[in-house]
Amino acid sequence: MANHMQFGFQDASSPIMEELVEFHDHALMTALAICTLVLYLLTFMLTEKLTSSTFDAQEIELVWTILPAAVLIMLALPSLQILYMMDEVNEPDLTLKAIGHQWYWTYEYTDFKDLTFDSYMTPTADLPLGHFRLLEVDHRAVVPMDSLIRVIVTADDVLHSWAVPSLGVKTDAIPGRLNQTSFTATRPGVFYGQCSEICGANHSFMPIVVESAPLADFESWSSLLSS
């Protein structure tokens, strides 16, 4: 969970999010290099008297053709790599189905004990001490850590979006359509998200809570829930 004074990303809790943060820093440094070069050229043109011998026109044309192409390649290659990593789901360890409603989520563990439950936001009056207002729910989606989790996302009424920033996932929930994403939680913890699609009057009261736990704790939780 990000501190309320934090300016950057939440701490990455999945390999995909680690790659996204690294790509963000890479793109930011590339943009900084471009801005520095443009500022230098503008300053040079404003302070120096340019003559025909200062720059050769053919050299300038060569530079402003090759340099933008090189920058695009520097950004495109890692971007495509991350896109393929996010889209690739091979032999998941667990499938979690998230169904968006106005204004709560339903979770189904279709290939594990056939568990199904609804997840509503905890009202402020019932919020335990130390929990996050407008982010805590009555039933968390618990997953085993260090396992590939496939998430199938859909909606029952209007457009929703299942998003957990620290896990690097954000997928639209569309009625009549199944969208797919995946993540691997690399550490135990509780990760918070919210519906990221404006879905009606109570859109801001539709939080998402994913709890990552060791496999033994996950099995104990699922056995308790199914009994």
Side-chain angles (χ1 to χ4, degrees), residues 26-220:
H26 169 71
L28 197 63
M29 294 307 296
T30 303
L32 179 61
I34 294 173
C35 292
T36 303
L37 176 61
V38 172
L39 182 61
Y40 168 77
L41 292 176
L42 286 174
T43 305
F44 182 82
M45 286 188 294
L46 291 173
T47 57
E48 299 290 336
K49 183 179 179 181
L50 297 181
T51 64
S52 59
S53 61
T54 304
F55 291 110
D56 183 78
Q58 190 172 3
E59 293 178 355
I60 294 178
E61 291 180 3
L62 190 63
V63 169
W64 72 39
T65 301
I66 295 178
L67 192 58
V71 170
L72 290 176
I73 293 173
M74 289 173 58
L75 295 177
L77 291 181
S79 176
L80 291 173
Q81 180 186 9
I82 296 174
L83 285 174
Y84 280 112
M85 289 174 59
M86 296 175 68
D87 192 56
E88 193 74 17
V89 184
N90 290 324
E91 299 180 1
D93 299 306
L94 180 70
T95 298
L96 172 65
K97 186 176 182 180
I99 305 172
H101 308 274
Q102 290 181 312
W103 287 273
Y104 64 96
W105 294 95
T106 297
Y107 295 108
E108 298 178 358
Y109 293 75
T110 53
D111 58 356
F112 188 83
K113 297 186 178 181
D114 200 23
L115 299 177
T116 302
F117 58 88
D118 296 330
S119 180
Y120 289 86
M121 186 192 75
T122 303
T124 303
D126 301 331
L127 199 65
L129 185 65
H131 286 226
F132 295 105
R133 176 178 172 271
L134 302 183
L135 287 177
E136 194 55 70
V137 296
D138 55 356
H139 292 96
R140 297 171 174 174
V142 181
V143 298
M145 61 177 289
D146 293 327
S147 302
L148 179 59
I149 310 300
R150 175 175 60 184
V151 186
I152 296 176
V153 183
T154 188
D156 188 50
D157 36 45
V158 299
L159 293 176
H160 300 280
S161 184
W162 199 82
V164 184
S166 58
L167 295 175
V169 292
K170 182 180 182 294
T171 304
D172 288 340
I174 303 173
R177 177 174 176 176
L178 298 178
N179 286 335
Q180 176 179 275
T181 187
S182 65
F183 66 88
T184 300
T186 55
R187 60 183 175 90
V190 180
F191 312 115
Y192 295 88
Q194 291 176 299
C195 174
S196 298
E197 192 77 50
I198 298 178
C199 57
N202 291 332
H203 156 70
S204 56
F205 304 101
M206 194 175 172
I208 300 162
V209 183
V210 176
E211 182 175 350
S212 170
L215 182 59
D217 294 343
F218 170 75
E219 291 177 342
S220 299

